[in-house]
């Protein structure tokens, strides 16, 4: 079984600043592999909330340099390397994260890069083995032009993380084969913005890719002020693809079947 925990489901400037949803990234456990993807602000706190141990992480993967994805990357590397006392683990990041891009220096400090056993600059079309799992790096179109998506081959099929991009047709063509597809859906129907995806994009992608489960994450403020669950139902009704709007600390248990466990949240109680 592979387990995926949403440490945060917020994304974009304002849901991050106001912490309307947390921004701790996504945590994938598959056998001995423990991969922390996109540790944004509050990642460590969310790990503790989820009952996960930062010193057990075996790989840190950062899609691009924006704060909602990368802010706490050095902190979770400190966790992975036992507080910086052991050379340990694997780091994958976009060029902007590992080497710097344009006028901007790298997100990862020299010290933290040197603490990990191995690091790779993720370039679209290439792949690497991270904690024993093959990861393909996907092309995107975003304001950080070095941004990448990740297609991770787990023991239970491919888990694909594709966020902060537009849904250009040739980019969608990289996604088939995904069993679980995490999409950064920042905006609701009829309210798309440049550089990000909306519910309509989720429909087009679901139709093409036909994953067993599609999960929205990286939810923006306008989507959160509406009804993310209704947007997910719309995608499912339009395409027949099982679709959820993930919540903070939602867990997926991926085996022959995929079980979705949402946490009890005050938000739910208020609605109930
Ligand atoms: Zn973002
Ligand atoms: Zn971004």
């Amino acid at each position: 079984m592979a387990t995926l925990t949403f440490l945060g489901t917020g994304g974009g400037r304002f849901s991050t600043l106001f912490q309307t949803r947390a921004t701790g990234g996504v945590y994938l456990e598959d056998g001995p592999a423990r991969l922390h993807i996109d540790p944004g602000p509050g990642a460590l706190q969310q790990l503790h909330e989820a009952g996960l141990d930062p010193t057990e992480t075996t790989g840190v993967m950062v899609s691009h340099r924006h704060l909602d994805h990368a802010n706490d990357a050095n902190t979770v590397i400190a966790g992975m390397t036992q507080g910086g006392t052991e050379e340990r683990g694997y780091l994958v990041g976009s060029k902007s994260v590992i080497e710097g891009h344009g006028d901007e220096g790298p997100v990862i400090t020299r010290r933290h890069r040197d603490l990990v056993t191995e690091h790779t600059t993720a370039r679209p079309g290439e792949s690497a083995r991270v904690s024993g799992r093959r990861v393909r790096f996907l092309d995107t179109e975003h304001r950080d032009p070095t941004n990448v998506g990740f297609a991770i081959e787990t023991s239970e099929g491919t888990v694909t993380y594709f966020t902060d991009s537009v849904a250009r047709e040739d980019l969608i063509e990289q996604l088939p084969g995904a069993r679980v597809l995490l999409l950064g859906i920042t905006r609701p129907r009829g309210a798309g913005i440049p550089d990000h995806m909306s519910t309509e994009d989720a429909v087009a992608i679901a139709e093409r890719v036909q994953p067993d489960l599609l999960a929205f994450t990286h939810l923006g403020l306008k989507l959160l002020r509406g009804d993310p669950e209704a947007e997910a139902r719309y995608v499912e009704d339009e395409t027949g693809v099982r679709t959820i709007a993930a919540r903070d600390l939602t867990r997926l248990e991926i085996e022959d079947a995929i079980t979705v466990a949402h946490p009890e949240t005050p938000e739910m109680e208020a609605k109930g």
Side-chain angles (χ1 to χ4, degrees):
M1 181 174 75
T3 306
L4 197 143
T5 306
F6 292 88
L7 297 177
T9 52
R13 219 162 285 173
F14 295 106
S15 75
T16 302
L17 284 178
F18 300 128
Q19 289 288 292
T20 317
R21 290 281 182 96
T23 44
V26 169
Y27 203 85
L28 177 67
E29 299 165 80
D30 182 29
R34 302 265 184 285
L35 305 178
H36 194 157
I37 304 164
D38 277 1
L44 219 46
Q45 187 184 347
Q46 287 300 101
L47 276 172
H48 292 300
E49 288 284 331
L52 294 164
D53 181 346
T55 65
E56 288 180 359
T57 299
T58 63
V60 174
M61 297 165 57
V62 187
S63 64
H64 65 298
R65 68 168 298 119
H66 291 156
L67 292 177
D68 49 339
H69 301 258
N71 191 68
D72 286 9
N74 290 300
T75 317
V76 298
I77 290 171
M80 179 168 74
T81 55
Q82 322 296 308
T85 61
E86 266 178 45
E87 188 185 296
R88 195 171 162 274
Y90 204 111
L91 166 68
V92 167
S94 65
K95 181 171 182 294
S96 57
V97 167
I98 305 262
E99 300 171 14
H101 180 71
D103 296 338
E104 301 267 19
V107 171
I108 306 297
T109 70
R110 175 75 178 270
R111 166 165 167 76
H112 290 90
R113 197 191 66 195
D114 288 348
L115 277 172
V116 301
T117 307
E118 220 177 324
H119 71 269
T120 296
T121 299
R123 294 190 168 80
E126 296 183 356
S127 67
R129 281 189 88 77
V130 183
S131 306
R133 304 292 177 269
R134 179 149 299 280
V135 181
R136 263 189 313 122
F137 306 132
L138 309 175
D139 198 8
T140 64
E141 181 185 324
H142 192 52
R143 250 174 330 173
D144 176 346
T146 72
N147 181 40
V148 290
F150 301 117
I152 306 161
E153 288 176 19
T154 76
S155 60
E156 302 289 351
T158 302
V159 172
T160 296
Y161 176 88
F162 186 74
T163 181
D164 288 35
S165 180
V166 299
R168 226 173 53 206
E169 212 164 309
D170 61 306
L171 299 176
I172 297 176
E173 284 308 313
Q174 306 171 102
L175 305 177
R179 182 168 180 224
V180 175
L181 180 56
L182 313 183
L183 287 183
I185 300 298
T186 308
R187 301 283 285 193
R189 263 170 287 172
I193 48 167
D195 253 0
H196 289 286
M197 291 183 285
S198 64
T199 306
E200 286 96 344
D201 297 315
V203 169
I205 293 171
E207 271 170 353
R208 174 70 186 94
V209 179
Q210 300 284 320
D212 288 355
L213 179 74
L214 188 158
F216 295 2
T217 187
H218 196 280
L219 308 177
L221 194 56
K222 192 176 174 76
L223 178 52
L224 290 169
R225 282 182 173 158
D227 188 345
E229 271 79 22
E231 295 292 309
R233 269 195 309 278
Y234 171 76
V235 174
E236 184 162 318
D237 290 345
E238 288 290 306
T239 65
V241 171
R242 184 182 177 194
T243 303
I244 62 163
R247 300 174 200 159
D248 293 346
L249 304 183
T250 293
R251 277 169 78 91
L252 309 181
E253 291 182 352
I254 309 164
E255 38 196 345
D256 290 348
I258 300 172
T259 309
V260 178
H262 289 303
E264 295 296 326
T265 64
E267 188 185 341
M268 282 173 73
E269 283 159 25
K271 273 184 192 163

